[in-house]
Amino acid sequence: MTNRQRTVVFVWRRIPPPFLIGGAEVSQQLLAEEFAAAGWSTFYLASHEPPWSDDSTMPSMLRHLDDVGVPYLCSDAKDEITYTWNGVHVRALPGDRIASALERSLETLSPQLVITSQEGSAEFARIARGRTTVAGWLHSVSKTGLHVLDGGPHHALATSRFVLGRTPGPQNNVVLYPPFKAAEGHGLHRDRDVLMVNPVPAKGSALLHQLIAQMPERHFTLVEGWWDTSAEFTHYSNVTYLPRTYDMDSLYARHRLQIVPSVVEDAFPRVIVEAGLAGLPTLGVRRGGIPEAVEHPGLLMDGDAPAEAWAARIRALTHSELDALRQHARHRAERLLRPCLPELAAAGVIPS
């Protein structure tokens, strides 16, 4: 069997490529694109009605596809859209029709692999596991992240060693670090100060407020993540709040330091590695998979460290120390610029 005869189906209840909300969306898009580039017929079943909202995102999806010049087809009922993105055949439909769409795809496509994760993924795993190989991708150790295991996938792809240590079950458990691509925007002047992405409570916005107030001499750039929290920061003179953007590389390249003070056990924050690829070091909390992504003791803070300790560490970073930390961050991140399919083959998830 040649690669061109192989088929993989990604299926979940979240939005499809190229619409990005968080790390899971980016990771799955990049892996799907790698399958397509390797000659696999790659299909992506997803919803324009994400599980965290009662509203359809189809209008904004269509506007973006129009803006980037990607042709698409809408169903007669205007509730389904199909298009191709970087070789990946995407079908976005109402959430309550994804299970039946998966069943039909199993019949018509006969895929060698189904990859599923997050909300509703246990149902998709149960539907597919008797027909083909199923891999559940564990993007977090939350109830949502581990939900796919309830469906009995053949393989569990843990996004870090930290996640692997929390993964129970009889299935084949392996680490699959997220895929990454090389940063763009090198050579930009680092004329901006401290960066934080996704300033919401789970990611440490309470400590962030304290830091902003305690460090009026430093400027903070905040980037919208899961939802818009800009109204919480309008009264600060040392804050720039940016809407969600597809061009993070230039932001990473222009800042001097990124902070990740999450209060939840992040699995393996993409922003740490993405920033490192642009030479931006991250000061993170010693919690979850963050130490695994940072890999530098001088850039880790204890989970109970007060804002005063964070402020002292930020102020203590000299230009020469930041230069050395930039080199370390880039070196650590570049080790993750690798093809992922050989790792899946080595783990027995796909044929070698």
Side-chain angles (χ1 to χ4, degrees), residues 31 34-35 137 155 157-159 172 174-180 335-352:
L31 185 62
E34 184 179 337
F35 269 105
W137 200 344
H155 304 273
L157 310 178
T159 199
N172 177 32
V174 297
V175 173
L176 180 70
Y177 286 117
F180 294 91
R335 299 198 330 255
L336 293 171
L337 286 178
R338 85 290 179 207
C340 292
L341 297 197
E343 296 177 17
L344 294 178
V349 179
I350 60 175
S352 57

Side-chain angles (χ1 to χ4, degrees), residues 201-240:
K203 301 300 183 179
S205 62
L207 183 139
L208 174 64
H209 278 283
Q210 297 176 54
L211 278 179
I212 293 169
Q214 290 182 24
M215 306 182 73
E217 79 282 7
R218 306 298 293 264
H219 194 87
F220 294 78
T221 301
L222 312 181
V223 184
E224 177 188 351
W226 292 345
W227 66 83
D228 183 0
T229 57
S230 58
E232 300 178 19
F233 299 94
T234 54
H235 61 287
Y236 296 115
S237 61
N238 57 335
V239 168
T240 298

Side-chain angles (χ1 to χ4, degrees), residues 149-179:
L149 300 179
D150 295 335
H154 303 95
H155 304 273
L157 310 178
T159 199
S160 65
R161 294 193 305 272
F162 162 70
V163 175
L164 183 67
R166 295 286 192 87
T167 305
Q171 67 283 320
N172 177 32
N173 301 335
V174 297
V175 173
L176 180 70
Y177 286 117

Side-chain angles (χ1 to χ4, degrees), residues 273-292:
V273 178
E274 290 173 348
L277 290 169
L280 177 64
T282 296
L283 181 64
V285 66
R286 194 176 280 106
R287 177 177 287 128
I290 293 173
E292 196 173 339

Side-chain angles (χ1 to χ4, degrees), residues 69-140:
V70 172
Y72 55 83
L73 294 175
C74 280
S75 65
D76 291 339
K78 305 295 184 184
D79 63 353
E80 183 176 327
I81 177 175
T82 57
Y83 56 93
T84 300
W85 179 268
N86 287 346
V88 179
H89 306 293
V90 179
R91 184 180 177 193
L93 59 163
D96 61 3
R97 290 190 3 221
I98 296 178
S100 59
L102 174 61
E103 290 177 335
R104 288 194 297 273
S105 295
L106 292 169
E107 294 174 1
T108 59
L109 301 175
S110 299
Q112 283 69 52
L113 177 65
V114 167
I115 297 177
T116 186
S117 66
Q118 305 296 88
E119 299 89 350
S121 54
E123 177 187 10
F124 303 144
R126 282 191 290 267
I127 290 172
R129 63 166 286 113
R131 307 277 295 275
T132 189
T133 300
V134 178
W137 200 344
L138 311 183
H139 295 287
S140 76

